[in-house]
Amino acid sequence: MRLRGLALPLALAVGVGGCAPTISGINARPDKFYQHKVKFTGRIARTQILPGETLLEVADRRGARIIVHSTAPVDAGTDDWVKVTGLLVPETRVGDAVLYDIVLADDVVRTRAPRLMGLM
């Protein structure tokens, strides 16, 4: 009986506490995430390969997009789903251009698409 009373609060704590930021959430308040590690999942919408670096435009399932800068080669192409881990910075220089609200990727790993993509 006592365990049933704890099951609901525990499930809510795990469900709410385990939420990582989404691309939509980062775009809504980027200043909240500046100079912090972020981890999110999205689909590569566009890729631009430059000498020694790669720029990715990653979109979430709602269509929100963010730019990801990687100095390591990325083993994924357009329309592949990836999990990105990196540092969100307010601005950085790529080539001769300054880009704003960009993720400096530590790791870009191919992953599967969300299972319940059209549910929420």
Side-chain angles (χ1 to χ4, degrees), residues 11-107:
L12 288 174
V14 170
V16 173
C19 294
T22 61
I23 295 172
S24 300
I26 294 169
N27 287 342
R29 293 277 318 268
D31 56 330
K32 179 180 173 184
F33 297 99
Y34 285 156
Q35 303 303 327
H36 287 88
K37 288 277 186 182
V38 292
K39 182 186 266 189
F40 55 87
T41 302
R43 180 186 56 81
I44 297 176
R46 288 192 288 178
T47 304
Q48 184 172 2
I49 299 173
L50 303 167
E53 52 195 0
T54 303
L55 287 177
L56 304 170
E57 184 180 38
V58 179
D60 66 5
R61 60 184 180 215
R62 293 182 176 161
R65 296 167 184 255
I66 196 163
I67 305 285
V68 176
H69 176 261
S70 175
T71 54
V74 176
D75 186 33
T78 304
D79 289 330
D80 286 337
W81 283 84
V82 291
K83 185 179 291 186
V84 178
T85 304
L87 182 72
L88 181 69
V89 295
E91 67 180 52
T92 190
R93 182 171 288 283
V94 177
D96 59 349
V98 176
L99 300 177
Y100 299 95
D101 297 339
I102 189 165
V103 176
L104 302 178
D106 294 331
D107 195 24

